[in-house]
Amino acid sequence: MRPDSPVKVGILISGRGSNMQSLVAAAREANAGYEVALVASDKPEAAGLAWAQEHGIATFALSPKGIGKPAYEAAINQALSEAGVEVIALAGYMRLLSGDFVARWRGRILNIHPSLLPLYKGLNTHARAIAAGDTKAGCSVHIVTEELDDGEVLGQAEVPIHPGDDATALAARVLVEEHRLYPQVLTEFVRR
Ligand code: GRF
């Protein structure tokens, strides 16, 4: 990509958007290599959208309910393209992207997942790690492919699982590492 001007990133969220906030904060520091051109959501009521608007970031919101996935994704794709987005970062985006969408953006969609992939794809990662008796957990940033939580892992961070941890406690510990890992990996990705 272009090392001389910031790569335009679009962030897709469905909820509170704490990872989105960490990506925005890092983008505003020198030499991040990227800028956040759009925050988009399938949930118009997502808390992260309001935060992005308050911080002067362009937003786009559309629910797929009633219009169907193809029309919904076409609209998201148009909004991303009009914003000049070159790389998409999924940050708590709770919807599966279609094969067509992934193909259109092949190799340019990243996701953060709260497990040490390839362990615990899908939901309830922390409860599953605790139930399995694991002594460590963590998070992974990976390239998005057609397969759920698959694709090349670009970076991981580990945390210990302590005796007595529940999923809430473990999620909070992992989230601290998510906020550190995602901006770091995204910067490395746009510079490679
Ligand atoms: C994070 O734990 C992320 O790893 C997962 O969903 C959660 C989103 O949290 N994909 P937030 O919206 O970024 O606060």
Side-chain angles (χ1 to χ4, degrees), residues 13-18 20-21 39-55 59 61 91-92:
I13 64 168
S14 296
R16 66 187 168 184
S18 71
M20 176 272 295
Q21 292 179 28
V39 173
S41 182
D42 61 322
K43 296 253 194 301
E45 70 281 12
L49 274 181
W51 185 93
Q53 284 161 3
E54 284 161 15
H55 288 76
T59 62

Side-chain angles (χ1 to χ4, degrees), residues 12-22 48 90-94 111-115 122-123 125-126 138-140 149 171 174-175 178-179 182:
L12 300 191
I13 64 168
S14 296
R16 66 187 168 184
S18 71
N19 277 287
M20 176 272 295
Q21 292 179 28
S22 74
L90 307 184
Y93 182 67
M94 301 305 287
N111 181 43
I112 186 151
H113 183 72
S115 78
L123 298 174
T125 55
H126 305 304
C139 51
S140 307
D149 300 327
V174 172
L175 194 63
E178 293 184 37
H179 295 163
Y182 209 175

